Structure formats: structure tokens, C-alpha cells
Amino acid sequence: MKLKATVMSLVLALGFAGTSAFAADDGRVVMTSPAKDGAYVLKMKGLVNNHRIKLLNGDRKAINDGIVIRKSSVKDGKVTIPAGGLFTTSRCSNWWSFNDHTFTIAGKLFHFITDEYQQDVVKNVTMKKGETVFGNEEKTRGWELSSIDVSPMGIEGAHMAYFKVVKTTGNYYGNPFIVVAGKNITPYGSNGQAEKNGSGLKEGTTSCFDQPDTRPFMIGNNISTNSRSVIYVDEITPTEAKIKEFVTVSTSKALISPNEPVMGMYGKGESFKVGNATVEVVDIKGTDVTVKMTDGKGTITKTLKADKATMDLFPSSRVSCANLYALSASGSETVNINVHNEGGMFANGKVALMGYSDVITVTNGGKWAADERFLTRPEICAECSFIHEVVIENDKPIVLDAKNNVFEGPDGYFKIVIDKINGDTVEAWHVETKEDKTGNLAGRAKGKHIDMVIGAECRSTGHFFSRVYADLYKETQE
């Protein structure tokens, strides 16, 4: 296998247990993994690779780009990437509000400020094994019934079901949600009996013959929770599960900025500039700080609060986060109490403040301001509720042919080039950046599609690589 010096490309005919093809009503591809025989490129020069950052709280992180093409097709001399079929991201751990967590979108650096999430609840649905249901109105989050173990305990009427939360990228969140139920299972794990009475057994070691009926010791649990996400199941049969309620969270909006924050200590009556806004400290009373923000759209006055009730739940509670910042009338500037100031939030009658300019409000399904061919998908952890990436995906289908053979990614960050196409087969295609170029990526898929993953170090795309390592090894032995 030939490797270029500047790009380590692995194009593998490999299968993995990712999510199946899934589309919204408008044909948009969501919650879907790349094809089994897609092209896998470890990294490319010209993309963000191992960019080191330091957060205000002292944590250090690394940023790596990831790019995915999924559910592409070739027919009659045309290559089609459906809406949502191309996305790029740079997932990097969890982002906390007002920690100046930087990240990249299409190679450009942005600063995360804060966000808001929504509770997504689905009630009274019946699912068969392998099915996925949408978990939110935007259709970017889903619940998958991955499998049903019909007889894990060797007793009829004792079933175990495994559910997973699926992201719009096609990745799963954290651990599976496991529920145990059936006609021969007592729901002691969820009806309060186990907590109240324990096992009911004597302390120490006893013989199984002391209680020949095994059922009292088979503790069922029809509720499964991973922090912010939970499932309540009414019934499990060998073929389906009846769900009383699914609960999870998703990001409704995030505030980001391309600019470094303005930071300083300010006393009552002092003011400073943030972009086009003037911020004045009107008053400081204990941990309450009243600020006035004035820009071309008007004046906003708000009392910021860093009291104990707020800080006890910060940064998890978005209500607490909202207490700590103000948004200008134009929505283009923010100011917040600098909770990570080295000398403390308050000192010598002054308060530590930080402000961002040219603020961008990112929503789930909103247009990406820098390139409106793409939509934004801010992604939140379904367990801890912290945002950890902003995915951008193509809004409309992309169609390429022999004449119109080049697609430029967001802001021209990369190019997808069809070099040779013949009927229903792409004989040659590649990806290039301003610094690098892959070889021909058509071989392993035999030209039937151009599904692809770039970026083994990016946490989102890295999951796709982690599913293929065993098969990768097998292929090297052939």
C-alpha cells in the first residue's frame, strides 16, 4: 500500500457496527455512519492537527479536525452527496461556559462563550429491535433499540434490552442504557423495594438451596439513566419494547466569537469597550454587579449575580450561566463575570469582567454565517449536558460530474475532486487542501460511492476509526 509522505491515507473495505442509514422526512441524512467500504484518511496537512490550547481554568486540550462523507451515491455519470451527507467538526472534550474554550470550524479559531439546552421527551412508543426514533424536533438526536437479549438468565419471560442515544454525526453517546423486565422479573430495582429492603438475604454466605425459588433474587429494573438522559420502559418482549418515556437533552443555541476576550478588573463607574459596545459598571453590591451595555442598537442594563446559589450549580445549570452574563442590544457583544480570574472574581472593590465582540449565535439547523451553504449542529453530551462540538453540514445535496467535478468545502478549506467517472462508477477521486492531496480514493469502494472519513485524532471521527481497527489488521494480513 503506497503512502504519501505528507498524508497517511488508508482506504479500507471495512465493515463496522455503526448506525444504519437514517434520513429525515426531507431526505436529509442524519444519525448515519459512513459506508462499510469508505475511504479512511488518518490526517492531512492543511487541516487542524494537534493544535494545543489552554483554558482559563488551566486545563490544556488539543484540537483535531474531522471530515465525513456519508450516504453518497454514483449513478448515470453523477456523484451525489445528500443534504447532511458532508460534515466537518473538531470535537474537543466538554466546553464550560466562560472558560474561553477555543475550537475550530473549517480551520478558523473560535471562542465558546456559553450555551442553552432543551429537554427532549418522547412518550409512549413501541420499537422493534434495530429501530431508531427521533428524540427532538430538529431530528438530530435519536434513540436506538440496539438489541434484545431474549433469555440472558435462562428463564422464559426474563428479557434484557439495550438502548443507545445517537448523535446527528452517527456516533453514539457514552454507555448503553440497559433495562431488564419480563413476566418473571420483579422490578425491585425501580419500584423502590430494593432501596428500602435490600436483598433480604442474611449477611454472609448461604446455600442456593436455602431459597430454591430464584425469582426473588432476579432484580429487574425498567428504568435506565445516565445522568441527564433516562428511559422508562413498560414492557419488553422477544421482538420489541414498549417505552413509556425517553428523556434527553440537546443544544438549542450557543454563543461563540472569533475574537479574543477583553478582560480586566473594573470598579463602580468605570467603563470599557467591547467591540462596538461600551460597558459601564453601574454598581457593585456584594456579589451582585449591575452593568450597562450600550451599542448602536440601544442600551441593556442587567444585574449579574455570582451569589452562592448561582455558583453552587455553575457551570452545569444554564440558569446559573445566564445569571453571570449580559448580551448587548445588537446581540453582537457579551460581558460576563470572569469566574476563572486568577485573583478571584472580586478584589479591592472591583469585579473581574470579560467581554466578547462579533458574537455569533449558533442554533441547531441555522445557517453558518461564514458560508451559508452549510448548517450548524451544536452538539451536547447526553449525559453531562455540556456542549463539545459545533458540526457544520451541507444544507443542499451536492452533485458532481465530469464537468462540474470540484466541490469546495466551507470557506474553501478543502476540495473534493472527481478525477474520472464512467456511468455508475467513479474511477478516480481525491481530496486536497492548500498544503496536501490524497491519492486516488476510489479503489476500495470500487467506485460505487465516495464515502470518507478524515481525522483519526478528532474524537468524533476517531470513533469511526476505532470500529475498524480489528478489520484493518486483518486486511494487512491478506
Side-chain angles (χ1 to χ4, degrees):
M1 183 180 295
K2 186 177 180 180
L3 297 178
K4 292 182 60 180
T6 57
V7 56
M8 299 177 65
S9 300
L10 292 174
V11 190
L12 313 174
L14 303 175
F16 53 84
T19 52
S20 59
F22 206 70
D25 295 339
D26 59 0
R28 178 173 301 280
V29 175
V30 295
M31 302 184 298
T32 302
S33 299
K36 295 178 179 179
D37 51 358
Y40 288 78
V41 182
L42 293 177
K43 65 179 181 179
M44 290 185 69
K45 286 187 176 181
L47 303 181
V48 176
N49 297 298
N50 200 34
H51 176 77
R52 298 288 177 169
I53 61 174
K54 183 179 179 180
L55 312 184
L56 291 183
N57 67 356
D59 289 350
R60 296 180 183 272
K61 307 290 182 179
I63 305 174
N64 291 277
D65 269 347
I67 303 172
V68 169
I69 299 175
R70 55 188 178 177
K71 293 304 293 177
S72 61
S73 60
V74 185
K75 187 174 180 60
D76 298 330
K78 296 182 183 296
V79 176
T80 301
I81 302 173
L86 168 66
F87 71 81
T88 181
T89 184
S90 64
R91 179 180 171 189
C92 177
S93 69
N94 293 322
W95 309 348
W96 291 5
S97 294
F98 317 130
N99 201 22
D100 197 37
H101 199 307
T102 51
F103 65 101
T104 56
I105 298 179
K108 295 182 179 179
L109 200 66
F110 291 88
H111 301 255
F112 170 67
I113 305 170
T114 190
D115 69 331
E116 296 178 9
Y117 66 80
Q118 62 194 27
Q119 299 283 167
D120 299 314
V121 181
V122 178
K123 294 188 177 184
N124 301 320
V125 295
T126 299
M127 298 176 65
K128 294 188 180 300
K129 184 172 63 176
E131 287 186 342
T132 304
V133 299
F134 288 119
N136 59 5
E137 292 181 357
E138 294 82 7
K139 298 180 178 178
T140 56
R141 179 67 54 84
W143 290 90
E144 177 188 280
L145 176 49
S146 303
S147 64
I148 296 176
D149 195 337
V150 176
S151 184
M153 303 166 195
I155 295 179
E156 183 181 357
H159 310 307
M160 186 177 295
Y162 298 79
F163 296 85
K164 294 180 180 179
V165 179
V166 192
K167 297 172 58 175
T168 187
T169 57
N171 282 316
Y172 295 117
Y173 275 109
N175 298 317
F177 294 74
I178 303 173
V179 292
V180 182
K183 63 184 181 181
N184 278 319
I185 291 288
T186 304
Y188 284 167
S190 52
N191 67 6
Q193 291 300 309
E195 181 181 10
K196 180 180 179 180
N197 302 320
S199 67
L201 296 171
K202 294 185 298 183
E203 185 176 1
T205 303
T206 57
S207 169
C208 63
F209 292 102
D210 289 348
Q211 175 53 270
D213 184 354
T214 64
R215 282 178 294 183
F217 311 115
M218 296 171 60
I219 306 301
N221 194 342
N222 63 338
I223 300 174
S224 182
T225 178
N226 283 335
S227 298
R228 293 295 182 93
S229 298
V230 62
I231 296 177
Y232 304 85
V233 173
D234 276 333
E235 183 183 354
I236 305 172
T237 74
T239 59
E240 64 184 24
K242 294 182 179 179
I243 293 89
K244 178 182 294 183
E245 192 170 359
F246 286 129
V247 180
T248 188
V249 292
S250 59
T251 304
S252 53
K253 74 174 183 180
L255 302 182
I256 66 175
S257 169
N259 303 326
E260 295 278 347
V262 176
M263 296 187 288
M265 299 293 296
Y266 304 94
K268 180 179 179 179
E270 293 184 323
S271 62
F272 61 100
K273 292 286 290 185
V274 179
N276 295 321
T278 298
V279 179
E280 179 187 351
V281 178
V282 177
D283 199 8
I284 302 175
K285 290 183 178 180
T287 55
D288 288 359
V289 180
T290 301
V291 296
K292 182 169 64 175
M293 301 182 71
T294 304
D295 64 6
K297 294 292 185 179
T299 298
I300 296 293
T301 301
K302 181 178 179 180
T303 298
L304 312 182
K305 293 181 176 294
D307 57 295
K308 186 178 184 302
T310 293
M311 300 311 297
D312 280 350
L313 294 177
F314 175 83
S316 180
S317 167
R318 300 315 192 272
V319 175
S320 290
C321 293
N323 287 343
L324 289 160
Y325 86 99
L327 184 67
S328 67
S330 66
S332 297
E333 297 89 16
T334 62
V335 63
N336 65 270
I337 296 176
N338 186 354
V339 297
H340 296 294
N341 185 55
E342 289 187 3
M345 293 183 284
F346 300 91
N348 302 319
K350 296 188 175 185
V351 59
L353 296 177
M354 59 189 295
Y356 290 92
S357 57
D358 297 327
V359 172
I360 301 168
T361 300
V362 174
T363 59
N364 190 353
K367 295 280 189 179
W368 173 231
D371 190 334
E372 293 196 349
R373 298 175 302 158
F374 290 82
L375 304 181
T376 55
R377 302 293 185 188
E379 277 286 359
I380 191 175
C381 177
E383 296 180 14
C384 68
S385 81
F386 289 118
I387 188 174
H388 52 221
E389 64 183 324
V390 175
V391 178
I392 60 172
E393 65 182 30
N394 59 308
D395 183 24
K396 305 294 183 183
I398 299 166
V399 180
L400 301 173
D401 54 30
K403 292 184 178 180
N404 177 36
N405 69 321
V406 178
F407 179 81
E408 286 198 353
D411 301 328
Y413 190 42
F414 57 87
K415 293 180 180 179
I416 301 166
V417 183
I418 305 301
D419 298 302
K420 187 176 181 182
I421 187 169
N422 183 10
D424 295 345
T425 303
V426 174
E427 297 182 0
W429 71 283
H430 71 273
V431 176
E432 61 185 64
T433 69
K434 294 177 181 179
E435 300 180 29
D436 212 344
K437 177 181 177 181
T438 70
N440 181 9
L441 301 178
R444 298 301 180 143
K446 299 180 180 179
K448 300 306 179 184
H449 59 76
I450 63 166
D451 280 20
M452 175 198 71
V453 182
I454 297 178
E457 295 301 320
C458 172
R459 285 190 63 183
S460 277
T461 50
H463 284 300
F464 297 129
F465 278 89
S466 68
R467 299 168 187 170
V468 304
Y469 286 143
D471 290 315
L472 171 60
Y473 175 78
K474 291 179 183 178
E475 184 166 295
T476 62
Q477 305 305 304
E478 293 178 355

